[in-house]
Amino acid sequence: MSHEIITKAKERFAHSHDALGREFGGIRAGRANASLLDRVTVEYYGAETPLNQLASITVPEARVLLITPFDKSILKDIERSINASDLGITPANDGTVIRLVIPALTEETRKDLAKEVKKVGENAKIAIRNIRRDAMDEAKKLEKAKEITEDTLKSLEKEIQAATDEAVKKIDSMTAEKEKELLTV
């Protein structure tokens, strides 16, 4: 039973790391990255559909995203959705494909994005600490119900803390890596 708590906590930590990676992927770093368009949806036959299901997205150059729709009739819809999104990049439609030229970041924008990265990293750490709290509570409930001994509870708490420390360390390194990427010109 006690190992289930650790396993479940580690699983939730991994989910937090994945979510943080996706979140960081959406923060543009002056380089083209297909994950910038992950949150863009296009109305296609009455349903909001993720752009990456309607078109192939390639990176022909360091600062250019090339969107080639599988159905050419939705070019205008894709263009409209990109304009309506929070990307802040104007699409160039040539009738067959859409090009997104990612503007170079100014020093000020880089610093603002670095602050944003720190904030996102802090939120991820809060999520990790919440997972730790849940695991600790579960362990204490087991001890209260006399399913585990006090000694087992203490060692379980140490294991949970060690796993938490590891998860926080990974978030710190992911955050530092993304900051470095942003601040490198």
Side-chain angles (χ1 to χ4, degrees):
M1 186 70 195
S2 60
H3 293 297
E4 285 176 26
I5 294 172
I6 298 282
T7 307
K8 195 162 80 176
K10 284 183 176 175
E11 233 170 68
R12 289 178 65 196
F13 290 155
H15 288 302
S16 292
H17 292 138
D18 294 344
L20 181 64
R22 282 192 303 277
E23 187 95 15
F24 281 167
I27 296 174
R28 62 187 178 102
R31 285 197 250 346
N33 182 342
S35 63
L36 282 175
L37 300 171
D38 283 352
R39 294 190 306 243
V40 176
T41 57
V42 180
E43 190 171 318
Y44 187 61
Y45 289 110
E48 286 295 319
T49 310
L51 175 58
N52 55 14
Q53 291 179 16
L54 299 172
S56 73
I57 302 166
T58 54
V59 185
E61 297 168 42
R63 291 196 6 238
V64 176
L65 279 175
L66 190 66
I67 304 163
T68 312
F70 303 128
D71 175 0
K72 300 287 183 234
S73 69
I74 60 169
L75 261 175
K76 286 274 183 238
D77 297 329
I78 292 174
E79 191 175 7
R80 201 172 306 114
S81 294
I82 292 171
N83 279 325
S85 74
D86 61 356
L87 280 177
I89 302 169
T90 308
N93 177 352
D94 72 2
T96 55
V97 295
I98 293 176
R99 282 184 179 70
L100 284 181
V101 179
I102 314 294
L105 298 177
T106 64
E107 191 61 34
E108 189 179 327
T109 310
R110 286 178 191 281
K111 286 181 179 159
D112 288 346
L113 287 173
K115 281 181 195 165
E116 167 97 10
V117 164
K118 273 194 172 110
K119 195 168 74 182
V120 169
E122 277 309 310
N123 289 342
K125 284 188 199 176
I126 290 169
I128 294 293
R129 288 193 290 271
N130 288 340
I131 294 167
R132 178 191 65 193
R133 185 197 60 227
D134 293 347
M136 293 287 199
D137 289 349
E138 218 173 303
K140 285 175 186 160
K141 277 182 196 160
L142 286 179
E143 196 256 347
K144 216 176 209 137
K146 303 276 188 244
E147 290 181 34
I148 60 173
T149 64
E150 198 175 318
D151 289 343
T152 309
L153 173 67
K154 293 287 178 225
S155 69
L156 191 56
E157 285 176 342
K158 277 184 185 147
E159 269 186 78
I160 292 169
Q161 188 57 51
T164 302
D165 293 343
E166 194 63 40
V168 167
K169 211 180 289 177
K170 181 166 181 170
I171 285 175
D172 284 338
S173 78
M174 289 170 75
T175 304
E177 200 174 298
K178 186 65 179 181
E179 272 185 85
K180 185 178 161 217
E181 179 188 327
L182 282 169
L183 298 172
T184 305
V185 181

